[in-house]
Amino acid sequence: MIRTADPSIFNEEEFRSQLRKAEEDVGCKLLGERSHGNRWETIHEIPLWAERAGIQYESSLGIKMWESRPPMQGYWVGTGLPYHFIDPNGYRRMNLLEIPFFGSDNIFFWKPVEYIVAIKPDVCKSFIAGMGLSEDEAFEITRRFLDEALEKYHTANCYCFHPIYLAARKLKKPVYYTDTLLRKLVNHARERGAGIIGINSWNNFWRARENAEVESIEWNMEESSLKCRVKSPTGVESLTFIAPLEFDGKRAEVLVDGREKKFEEARILGGDYAMFTVDIKAAEEITIEVKYAKPPRQ
């Protein structure tokens, strides 16, 4: 399969034109985009175009393809969490997040085939696309990565499911059926207690998380206690904090605005931690205190 586009046509003006058309079609402002040109490294300017157009996130990177073998899932950009693009002109941190995705539903089910992309005449990319899996085989892969994200890497797995493939079985369309995979993956996530969130909400949460401010961090050596103030200009729900589970042979006790806060025990990078979440309203300030006075649990 070959996709081509005249670079004199697909420029920033055309990018904005397609964005406006898409927003007219759906009847709302779009916060994010996925572009083949960025994913296949043929139009490097797309993140700059997206930022100037008011787009908040891009979600094309994260999957890796090779010229000689089928694609594989993995943390190919080093993380499953969002990060900011950097403008090479001055190394400015751009107001555009990359939300790396772990894969799209059709990649699992394509039969391996050579895929040639020539968006620019002088930039041609060739890949083997498709893994040729059944829905059960695809679920076993996604299940393993989800379990490892919860137990080992403490990160997020982001997937792109196409509505046409999700509805194909019911509509009797001769394309890939992916509804069983999504249903099994969602059910497994719920069984494991994993959070499930749409990509717009994930973008909004991550930005609110970054805007939260931690101030006046104080450590009281005599009382073995840590205190700080946290505020959020926009408000944020389920903002996660961690603190060492034990210090000097004593177990942590967490207080939020003077009230005891329950926490989960988590083992992260070989250490034991108390993990808890707080909700902060817009312009609100809360006080978090961690005291080490209780004897360790036997």
Side-chain angles (χ1 to χ4, degrees), residues 4-7 10 42-45 117-124:
T4 60
D6 185 341
F10 193 75
T42 50
I43 303 181
H44 291 170
E45 300 89 346
V117 183
I119 295 180
K120 287 185 176 181
D122 58 341
V123 181
C124 183

Side-chain angles (χ1 to χ4, degrees), residues 213-221 223-230 241 243 253-259 276 285-292:
E213 300 175 14
V214 180
E215 299 179 337
S216 303
I217 302 175
E218 301 175 0
W219 170 253
N220 187 315
M221 181 64 74
E223 297 181 0
S224 296
S225 66
L226 175 72
K227 182 182 291 187
C228 66
R229 297 200 308 269
V230 185
F241 289 84
E253 177 187 11
V254 178
L255 303 173
V256 176
D257 286 338
R259 295 185 293 273
F276 58 97
E285 182 177 280
I286 65 172
T287 299
I288 295 176
E289 186 173 10
V290 182
K291 295 182 176 181
Y292 294 93

Side-chain angles (χ1 to χ4, degrees), residues 106-123:
N106 57 336
I107 288 177
F108 289 118
F109 308 117
W110 273 348
K111 298 297 182 183
V113 61
E114 184 180 23
Y115 201 104
I116 301 173
V117 183
I119 295 180
K120 287 185 176 181
D122 58 341
V123 181

